[in-house]
Amino acid sequence: MKSFYESQQINEKKLFELFKKADDIRANLKKYDKMLSGKIMATLFYEPSTRTRLSFETAMLKLGGKVISTENAREFSSAIKGESIEDTIRVISSYCDCIVMRHYEEGSALKASKISSIPIINAGDGKGQHPTQALLDAYTIFREIGRLEKIKIALVGDLLSGRTVRSLCYLLGKFSENEIIFVSPENLRMKDDIKQYLDKHKIIWGEEKDLQKILPKVDIIYITRIQKERMKKEDYEKARGKYVINEETLKLVRKETRIMHPLPHVEEIDLPIKIEQEDKRIVYFKQAENGLYIRMALLLELLK
Ligand code: CP
């Protein structure tokens, strides 16, 4: 694997190798602190980010490498002067050893990887994919539940714009007897390409409107934000507030179930900080932390 632009590129064996490496890095951080010494990673972000950009940058620094960055490339790179993504990538790839890129256009990471002489890592391409998020999501499920097969998971919220749920479906589709329940507002349903992929891989999936009915029945609740910035105002108003985890709905969740979210969360999670900190079912901050170790493992895979 030279570049990582979609989660389908990872097979089961590679996924578990990355998990093992991430566990080892977490336990023996010092052993890894010079492994990428002399390497430079560029972060090229055309859309906002907290977790993905900063965890990649931290990952590179903890591995002994260096980072160059443009955090608002849409405005503060020469894209504003009309430079094409191809030219941008050609130039940056002569300065460094890998590029972590978030772009507003679906397919941009694949396009960049075709022109690049160095690895491109897709940090989110429009409504397309967010494959490193899927790695950390799968890693979190494995750490919390102990398996990646026979998982019953509810994917909740904006399934039309949400690239994290798409990438996660591609990974879950590789393991047997998983069952996926899509819970979304009518106007933000999962697209057919993912449903067809799941059918092809004999993964049971269904759609459900009533979140309360689903909450007591699943191993994982993976809830997502309604992506206001990717839709018309009237679609947002129609969809917002339909599915919320709060103190009332949390009562319906079994003690073994885990609640995940790619973050940032807004009104779809309405819980006091004390509950978020103390309730073992809530793992979305652990999930974000897991991203650091899995991204360190991925950088080693691509650059070592
Ligand atoms: N989960 C995620 O991609 O978060 P950021 O947008 O903050 O990077």
Side-chain angles (χ1 to χ4, degrees), residues 48-52 102 130 133 262-263:
S49 167
T50 297
R51 278 143 290 273
T52 312
R102 171 170 289 185
H130 192 347
Q133 177 74 41
L263 302 179

Side-chain angles (χ1 to χ4, degrees), residues 274-297:
K274 191 168 162 53
I275 292 186
E276 285 189 316
Q277 284 174 329
E278 291 176 3
D279 193 312
K280 291 206 167 1
R281 293 169 295 180
I282 292 161
V283 297
Y284 36 82
F285 289 106
K286 275 202 237 174
Q287 185 184 346
E289 186 185 346
N290 289 339
L292 172 64
Y293 301 108
I294 207 79
R295 287 178 172 131
M296 287 175 82

